[in-house]
């Protein structure tokens, strides 16, 4: 008993990380992983919904390939705008509230986009879908990470990455069950109001966003956010709750009574978390916050960090230019192969030849019923499944191989796979190479983010990450517009652009330093 008393005395005033360590690691974190993982899977589902809408809605909206490019780019524009909005809302109102608000907006946009009858209105709804889902996508990692001690954070966040792949695996299954056949075609013959099966699919993809909100509601707000928002007592209550779930002990057994947190400056602040009000956190003045803001920004735009930032932005631009574009267009390309096979049986052709032939036969294809070939669903499912082993492998081997070497290898090999799309001569070869490309490139951005956290100082790492992600989304917008404009008659151009961007990025990553902050505290 005396030893326990001494132990409690030693940690009455502890840094937040120490207090989080005493809260324990166990049942609470695993339950939260399942809930946050479900949210992240829904983010993948919502982000890739349009990949099946492109071929399915082509006749309803009379879409050209350029229209398809605009359609896939529109949610990305919403993401670019929404990321800033949700980040500020999370700082002002809390991460959990922002994630729930983002999911509700995504669900509402999905339901509205399923009923609107004009293409411009559909574009507007998909803009708000992207605007909403980026909030959940961008905040679920920091929200989950705030409940993890440094010892377990990297491993658990890598496990969260696997759920994105699970979301992309579920999508073709949902599409197959709804879009295929006439079961969900609710349009009456001769009716002006169209509600075909692909519209039901769009609405169905909004339902999971509502369901995962129910999973998040029982969990508390981020204790780190509560601490920095001057709600130290609530932050301690959250840690006590984690402690009770993990240890099955009483709240009174939690040894920490007050916490020390690090503010925007370099000095530690004492934060009271008991009911006596003996210690309070002294909030920074507006002048101090403004000065700290400009110090961080000045550091980021001076050597060597400005060069590293430009390099990371170029890499993520090229990566998302290639990855997101092909990910969204794979089902459409599979459908083109199917249409080509029906028009020209036993004829071998590459991706670009198929696209050109199908584009020239639009009058013949327009007379056929709008049903996607079963191979479109199975091929998309196979491509999604191919990402699962890679996601697991990266989490296990990233510290063995090394982040920098892994990034270089993945970029160059995915670039070679992209260039190989010009060499395929059949649907099967196209499927195999698509699996290779998707399996490699799907985890590359996560490795890039790990590198950014390693090479930038803590004070500017978050800003460097935000700028890099923004450049990546811009790359995805440009890639979809360019591919949509050129896929019919000049398909070889964007494919060479994909390969060139990726290989060049990989070669440039060779010059990245191992770390610019060896002094980083452990």
């Amino acid at each position: 008993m005396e030893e326990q008393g001494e132990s409690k005395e030693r940690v009455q005033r502890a840094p937040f990380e120490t207090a989080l360590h005493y809260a324990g690691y166990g049942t609470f974190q695993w339950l939260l992983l399942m809930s946050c993982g479900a949210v992240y899977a829904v983010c993948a589902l919502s982000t890739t919904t349009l990949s099946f809408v492109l071929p399915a809605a082509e006749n309803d909206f009379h879409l050209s390939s350029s229209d398809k490019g605009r359609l896939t780019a529109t949610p990305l524009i919403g993401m670019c705008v929404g990321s800033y909005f949700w980040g500020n809302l999370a700082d002002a109102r809390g991460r959990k509230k922002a994630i729930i608000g983002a999911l509700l907006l995504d669900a509402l946009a999905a339901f509205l986009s399923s009923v609107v009858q004009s293409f411009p209105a559909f574009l507007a709804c998909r803009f708000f879908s992207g605007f909403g889902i980026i909030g959940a996508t961008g905040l679920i990692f920091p929200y989950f990470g705030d409940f993890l001690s440094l010892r377990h954070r990297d491993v658990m966040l890598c496990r969260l990455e696997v759920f994105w792949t699970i979301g992309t695996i579920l999508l073709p299954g949902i599409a197959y069950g709804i879009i295929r056949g006439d079961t969900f075609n609710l349009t009456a013959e001769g009716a002006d109001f169209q509600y075909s099966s692909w519209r039901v699919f769009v609405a169905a993809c909004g339902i999971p966003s509502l369901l995962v909100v129910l999973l998040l509601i029982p969990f508390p707000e981020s204790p780190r956010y509560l601490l920095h928002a001057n709600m130290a007592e609530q932050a301690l209550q959250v840690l006590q709750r984690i402690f009770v779930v993990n240890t099955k002990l009483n709240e009174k057994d939690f040894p920490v009574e007050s916490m020390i947190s690090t503010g925007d400056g370099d000095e530690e602040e004492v934060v009271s978390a008991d009911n006596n009000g003996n210690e309070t956190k002294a909030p920074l003045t507006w002048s101090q916050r403004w000065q700290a803001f400009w110090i961080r920004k000045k550091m980021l735009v001076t050597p060597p960090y400005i060069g590293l930032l430009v390099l990371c932005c170029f890499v993520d631009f090229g990566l998302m230019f290639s990855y997101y574009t092909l990910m969204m267009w794979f089902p459409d390309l599979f459908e083109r192969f199917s249409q080509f096979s029906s028009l020209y049986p036993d004829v071998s052709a590459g991706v670009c030849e198929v696209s050109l032939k199908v584009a020239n036969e639009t009058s013949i294809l327009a007379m056929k019923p709008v049903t996607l070939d079963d191979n479109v669903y199975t091929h998309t499912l196979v491509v999604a499944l191919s990402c699962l082993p890679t996601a697991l492998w990266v989490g296990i081997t990233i510290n063995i191989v090394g982040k920098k070497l892994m990034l270089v290898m993945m970029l160059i090999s995915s670039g070679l796979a992209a260039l190989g799309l010009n060499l395929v001569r059949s649907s099967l070869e196209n499927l195999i190479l698509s699996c290779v490309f998707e399996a490699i490139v799907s985890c590359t951005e996560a490795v890039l983010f790990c590198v950014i956290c390693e090479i930038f100082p803590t004070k500017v790492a978050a800003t460097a990450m935000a700028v890099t992600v923004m450049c990546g989304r811009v790359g995805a917008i440009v890639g979809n517009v360019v591919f949509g404009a050129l896929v019919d008659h000049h398909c070889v151009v964007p494919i060479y652009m994909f390969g060139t961007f990726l290989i060049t990025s990989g070669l440039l990553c060779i010059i990245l330093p191992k770390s610019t902050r060896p002094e980083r505290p452990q």
Side-chain angles (χ1 to χ4, degrees):
M1 291 294 292
E2 184 179 350
E3 182 179 344
Q4 287 181 349
E6 290 176 358
S7 175
K8 181 176 180 181
E9 184 70 28
R10 282 199 302 269
V11 295
Q12 278 184 334
R13 289 180 56 200
F16 174 78
E17 288 291 343
T18 303
L20 187 59
H21 169 75
Y22 278 106
Y25 169 79
T27 303
F28 183 92
Q29 281 80 6
W30 281 100
L31 290 173
L32 187 59
L33 172 65
M34 294 299 106
S35 296
C36 291
V39 172
Y40 203 46
V42 167
C43 292
L45 199 69
S46 178
T47 302
T48 54
T49 296
L50 289 182
S51 61
F52 280 99
V53 172
L54 292 183
E58 184 174 350
N59 280 23
D60 281 16
F61 285 140
H62 308 290
L63 299 181
S64 64
S65 293
S66 295
D67 291 330
K68 293 178 182 179
R70 288 166 52 210
L71 178 56
T72 53
T74 298
L76 290 164
I77 298 172
M79 291 179 189
C80 288
V81 178
S83 59
Y84 180 77
F85 171 82
W86 295 112
N88 280 280
L89 185 65
D91 287 341
R93 296 295 180 183
R95 289 175 177 174
K96 178 185 169 182
K97 290 179 181 178
I99 292 171
I100 290 176
L103 290 168
L104 292 176
L105 177 60
D106 175 63
L108 178 62
F111 297 143
L112 290 177
S113 60
S114 72
V115 298
V116 295
Q117 300 295 296
S118 69
F119 184 57
F122 187 76
L123 285 179
C125 290
R126 296 321 297 180
F127 170 89
F128 283 105
S129 176
F131 185 97
I133 203 62
I134 194 62
T137 306
L139 294 174
I140 199 65
F141 270 83
Y143 173 72
F144 182 46
D146 284 352
F147 292 89
L148 300 168
S149 62
L150 288 172
R151 178 182 176 186
H152 302 285
R153 192 168 299 160
D154 289 344
V155 174
M156 290 295 275
L157 290 180
C158 280
R159 286 173 179 153
L160 192 58
E161 277 285 351
V162 176
F163 286 88
W164 180 276
T165 303
I166 293 174
T168 62
I169 292 171
L170 292 174
L171 183 71
I174 297 172
Y176 181 82
I178 296 177
I179 299 178
R180 182 176 175 271
D182 294 325
T183 306
F184 291 94
N185 189 359
L186 307 181
T187 302
E189 190 174 347
D192 291 333
F193 182 79
Q194 299 285 320
Y195 205 74
S196 48
S197 56
W198 71 263
R199 293 180 179 275
V200 178
F201 166 70
V202 170
C205 288
I207 295 174
S209 295
L210 292 178
L211 296 179
V212 293
V213 166
L214 300 178
L215 293 178
L216 277 183
I217 287 175
F219 290 95
E221 180 55 83
S222 155
R224 192 185 300 273
Y225 163 78
L226 293 172
L227 192 58
H228 285 282
N230 292 331
M231 292 184 280
E233 187 174 341
Q234 291 93 319
L236 183 68
Q237 290 171 357
V238 171
L239 295 180
Q240 289 172 338
R241 179 177 169 185
I242 298 172
F243 174 79
V244 170
V245 174
N246 286 334
T247 65
K248 306 298 186 290
L249 298 174
N250 193 281
E251 287 183 4
K252 295 179 180 178
D253 296 319
F254 187 60
V256 178
E257 293 182 2
S258 62
M259 286 181 284
I260 303 169
S261 70
T262 302
D264 289 334
D266 294 322
E267 295 158 2
E268 288 187 329
E269 306 165 273
V270 178
V271 181
S272 175
D274 58 19
N275 296 319
N276 300 324
N278 295 327
E279 302 174 21
T280 57
K281 177 180 178 180
L284 294 174
T285 65
W286 172 256
S287 175
Q288 290 172 320
R289 290 183 182 276
W290 187 252
Q291 186 178 9
F293 171 83
W294 280 111
I295 289 174
R296 292 195 299 271
K297 297 304 173 282
K298 185 176 180 181
M299 177 186 291
L300 196 59
V301 296
T302 54
Y305 304 120
I306 182 62
L308 296 175
L309 180 62
V310 171
L311 175 55
C312 291
C313 288
F314 178 85
V315 171
D316 205 38
F317 180 94
L319 178 61
M320 297 305 289
F321 180 92
S322 312
Y323 166 54
Y324 192 87
T325 301
L326 285 176
M327 178 181 68
M328 295 301 293
W329 280 83
F330 272 144
D332 191 76
L333 293 176
F334 293 147
E335 175 63 13
R336 290 177 187 231
F337 265 103
S338 172
Q339 293 174 350
F340 179 83
S341 298
S342 65
L343 291 171
Y344 306 99
D346 303 321
V347 176
S348 297
V351 175
C352 294
E353 294 171 75
V354 167
S355 294
L356 179 61
K357 289 286 187 180
V358 170
N360 291 336
E361 300 291 350
T362 51
S363 57
I364 297 175
L365 295 169
M367 298 171 62
K368 297 191 174 186
V370 186
T371 54
L372 296 184
D373 189 89
D374 287 356
N375 286 335
V376 176
Y377 303 102
T378 55
H379 287 185
T380 307
L381 178 61
V382 170
V383 170
L385 286 170
S386 69
C387 300
L388 197 54
T390 312
L392 296 171
W393 175 79
V394 168
I396 295 170
T397 62
I398 187 168
N399 290 326
I400 300 173
V401 178
K403 302 179 186 70
K404 176 183 167 181
L405 178 59
M406 182 174 282
L407 183 61
V408 172
M409 290 168 52
M410 294 175 80
L411 285 167
I412 293 177
S413 55
S414 60
L416 293 173
L419 291 177
L421 290 172
N422 280 321
L423 304 177
V424 300
R425 303 299 300 171
S426 68
S427 177
L428 178 60
E429 291 177 6
N430 179 63
L431 173 62
I432 294 172
L433 202 57
S434 299
C435 287
V436 173
F437 174 82
E438 190 84 3
I440 298 171
V441 81
S442 61
C443 297
T444 307
E445 191 176 41
V447 179
L448 175 63
F449 292 164
C450 291
V451 171
I452 290 173
C453 291
E454 186 70 24
I455 65 175
F456 286 95
T458 304
K459 284 186 177 181
V460 295
T463 304
M465 185 82 75
V467 174
T468 301
V469 169
M470 181 68 71
C471 289
R473 294 297 179 269
V474 172
I477 294 170
V478 175
N480 275 280
V481 173
V482 169
F483 195 76
L486 300 178
V487 65
D488 288 343
H489 301 288
H490 305 285
C491 159
V492 68
V493 175
I495 288 179
Y496 274 121
M497 292 175 71
F498 296 151
T500 302
F501 262 126
L502 291 169
I503 293 173
T504 304
S505 296
L507 294 175
L508 287 174
C509 284
I510 294 174
I511 67 176
L512 285 172
K514 183 177 179 181
S515 175
T516 62
R517 48 176 183 175
E519 76 286 354
R520 184 183 181 185
Q522 300 297 316

